[in-house]
Amino acid sequence: AQSVTQPDIHITVSEGASLELRCNYSYGATPYLFWYVQSPGQGLQLLLKYFSGDTLVQGIKGFEAEFKRSQSSFNLRKPSVHWSDAAEYFCAVGAAGSYQLTFGKGTKLSVIP
Amino acid sequence: GAGVSQTPSNKVTEKGKYVELRCDPISGHTALYWYRQSLGQGPEFLIYFQGTGAADDSGLPNDRFFAVRPEGSVSTLKIQRTERGDSAVYLCASSLTSTSGEQFFGPGTRLTVL
């Protein structure tokens, strides 16, 4: 069975600082990997996805993520955080050709002005 | 174009009552999914529709939960004899096909059972 671990429940960073949110997954084959963001009262918005190819993926809002097969990781990064990035971030794993998504428990990001 | 919409946005009910939650997917999306998100957790899969049929309902917690999609578009999640433990945000998502990989989520319905 596939699983996702987001080790950090809550992270606080200063505005303008760099950010890295960790995601580790467990899956037997090459996974589909996703990062979603959820603002209060909002649905999940897709930030970026990895299906195959280049292991460094660019997404919306200046986010990027790197797939590292050897570490079973798909960490999300942003070089300079804005106050509007404060939200909850979810990593998810899916299987190629399948509809099933398994989500992590999320990491809440707080941004200090 | 319009995204996934869900109604109501909030629903407060009493223990033992029946509730219906509605999802209107993106036009043309054949696949539709329901998830439940409890406080402090990520979304958990409930059921998946391909067209009008429930292709996978393995995530439904028990037989009090049921979902339909009679015309292959709008879906309704139905919960009978609600319990306090059913309180959660219920999310709906749709995708172009079941294998297209990317699911688009609605804003959710927050259900509170008193």
Side-chain angles (χ1 to χ4, degrees), chain A residues 7-77:
Chain A
D8 304 307
I9 297 173
H10 191 186
I11 284 182
T12 301
V13 300
S14 298
E15 190 169 20
S18 63
L19 171 71
E20 182 170 29
L21 301 182
R22 295 182 292 166
C23 172
N24 293 97
Y25 68 89
S26 174
Y27 184 67
T30 301
Y32 285 359
L33 294 161
F34 306 83
W35 276 99
Y36 284 87
V37 61
Q38 186 177 40
S39 299
Q42 304 295 314
L44 294 162
Q45 181 184 20
L46 182 68
L47 286 176
L48 48 78
K49 60 190 178 191
Y50 171 79
F51 287 175
S52 65
D54 192 343
T55 57
L56 185 62
V57 181
Q58 302 297 320
I60 63 171
K61 304 184 179 185
F63 285 93
E64 66 177 27
E66 187 171 10
F67 170 57
K68 292 186 176 179
R69 184 189 301 276
S70 61
Q71 297 176 20
S72 297
S73 69
F74 189 57
N75 293 350
L76 181 71
R77 301 193 293 250

Side-chain angles (χ1 to χ4, degrees), chain B residues 50-64:
Chain B
Q50 179 57 50
T52 59
D56 182 355
D57 64 359
S58 62
L60 294 178
N62 51 60
D63 61 6
R64 295 187 297 105

